[in-house]
C-alpha cells in the first residue's frame, strides 16, 4: 500500500509541476484550459485514492474474496461516482443554473475515497482472520509433533 501511495504521490507531484504545459498540449482553447486547470486538484486526489483502493481490491482477490469487492465497486463507482456526479453536476442547488463537469470529478473522488476506506477495512479484517487461522493451524501441527 505504501509503495502504491508513494508512486501515486510522485506522479501527482510531477503532474502538478507540469500541469500548465500538459493542459496547453491537450487544448489550445483558453476556456478549456481554464476548466482543465481547475480540475487538476481533483485528478490528484482521485489518483491517490485509486492507487490505494486498487491494491486493496487486488489483495482481496488474492485471498479469494471477490463478491463483496464487486458489490463495493458497484456501489461506489455506479452509485456514488456516476449517480452522485450527475446530481452534483446538474442538480445540486449551487450548480442548478450553471452545470459543470466538476461535479463528476468531485463524486469520482468521493467514490474512490469510499472504496479505499471500505476495501481497507475489509482487507484488514480478512488478513487478520487468515493470520489467526494460520496461528491455530501451526499450534495444531506443533501439538501433533509433540505426540
Amino acid at each position: 500500500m505504501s509503495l502504491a501511495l508513494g508512486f501515486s504521490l510522485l506522479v501527482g507531484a510531477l503532474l502538478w509541476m507540469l500541469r500548465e504545459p500538459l493542459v496547453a498540449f491537450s487544448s489550445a482553447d483558453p476556456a478549456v484550459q481554464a476548466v482543465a486547470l481547475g480540475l487538476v486538484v481533483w485528478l490528484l486526489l482521485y489518483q491517490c485514492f485509486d492507487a490505494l483502493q486498487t491494491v486493496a481490491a487486488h489483495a482481496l482477490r488474492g485471498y479469494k474474496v471477490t463478491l463483496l469487492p464487486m458489490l463495493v465497486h458497484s456501489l461506489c463507482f455506479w452509485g456514488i461516482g456516476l449517480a452522485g456526479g450527475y446530481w452534483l453536476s446538474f442538480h445540486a442547488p449551487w450548480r442548478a443554473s450553471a452545470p459543470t463537469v466538476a461535479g463528476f470529478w468531485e463524486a469520482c473522488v468521493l467514490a474512490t475515497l469510499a472504496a479505499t476506506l471500505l476495501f481497507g477495512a475489509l482487507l484488514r479484517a480478512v488478513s487478520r482472520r487468515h493470520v489467526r487461522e494460520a496461528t491455530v493451524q501451526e499450534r495444531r501441527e506443533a501439538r501433533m509433533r509433540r505426540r
Side-chain angles (χ1 to χ4, degrees), residues 27-36:
S27 176
D29 185 343
V32 172
Q33 289 178 357
V35 170

Side-chain angles (χ1 to χ4, degrees), residues 49-71:
F49 294 135
D50 189 54
L52 294 174
Q53 71 87 20
T54 299
V55 170
H58 283 83
L60 287 165
R61 186 178 296 164
Y63 281 119
K64 296 184 179 9
V65 177
T66 57
L67 179 62
L68 196 52
M70 180 195 66
L71 296 174

